[in-house]
Amino acid sequence: MKKVTVKVPAKINLTLDILGAREGYHEIESLAASIDLVDAVAVSPIKSGFTLKEHGIKADCPVEKNNAVRAARAFFAHCGGKAALGGENYCGAEIEIEKNIPLGGGLGGSSADAAGVILALCRIFGKDMPFADKVAADVGSDVNYMLRGGYAVMRGRGERVEKINAKTVLYLVVLLSDVPVDTGRCYALCDEMNVKPVDGTAQAVKYLCEGHVEKLKGALFNAMTAAAQTLNGEVREHLAAVEAVGGKAMMSGSGGTVYGVFGGESERDIAFEKLKKLYGEKVLKANTLP
């Protein structure tokens, strides 16, 4: 039985613009970046059925609704119900995840696991990336991005991905929340608040590609921040805490994870030590992965 392990990093949103709503979904434009916080996803094909073992952070949802299992089901569905290997047919998978990415905080944790399963199964059964993209599109809006990671602009519901070939490394602190923000409620509140498009992602991409970190910090934004702060007071507190130690304070996704961008590694490390005294294990160091 062949087993493949794939490591998939978390993501942050450096920009997040809401362009409007269409057919029940919100259209976005977002400059996303991978960070060096990763889940390791191990997959083995089996004749039938799906099993899931998780180590570290546990997903608080039934196995059948877990994105990793949904991804495996979608993979075999795209194969016509079964996939051949060594003269044998398989239509199930054993999945084991070493989970380090918090769920429900805007870091793409469940999407990372789905992407890991798809990539592992594609390697096992010899499927190409266009095939992986088709499977990912059926699982979740940002799973297509998580297949490749790095810097990229996500559009539509997040499924249209444009790779950005920037080499700039950003030094971050990440401040985790005990209370994730419900994405649906956050979008609904953005609608009530009549949030308008910022149209600032292209400018942020320009500064990123040029390596102008200070200018980039000034161009970062998340159009969901005001709504998220209304729904979760901890987001407001964490943004203020990051600003107080000199970082460009940002929220990832719909929250509640907050992160800070710093001008260099030493500046970030000093800020990390200050925040650690206040928040302990809730604060992490991270770097972007171009």
Side-chain angles (χ1 to χ4, degrees), residues 61-144:
C61 74
V63 169
E64 290 302 307
K65 292 185 177 180
N66 188 287
N67 256 12
V69 174
R70 292 181 59 238
R73 288 189 178 279
F75 175 88
F76 287 106
H78 276 265
C79 292
K82 59 186 178 181
L85 180 66
E88 299 284 341
N89 288 324
Y90 297 85
C91 57
E94 291 181 347
I95 304 165
E96 189 168 0
I97 302 174
E98 188 66 42
K99 184 137 198 66
N100 301 300
I101 306 172
L103 290 162
L107 295 174
S110 64
S111 294
D113 298 338
V117 168
I118 294 167
L119 289 170
L121 287 171
C122 283
R123 291 179 191 175
I124 291 168
F125 292 105
K127 302 295 184 180
D128 58 17
M129 284 303 291
F131 183 90
D133 284 325
K134 291 177 183 177
V135 178
D138 284 350
V139 181
S141 57
D142 58 354
V143 180
N144 292 83

Side-chain angles (χ1 to χ4, degrees), residues 187-209:
Y187 272 121
L189 186 53
C190 286
D191 291 342
E192 290 178 23
M193 297 171 73
N194 197 28
V195 172
K196 300 294 186 184
V198 176
D199 194 26
T201 294
Q203 188 68 62
V205 169
K206 177 178 181 292
Y207 292 145
L208 176 69
C209 292

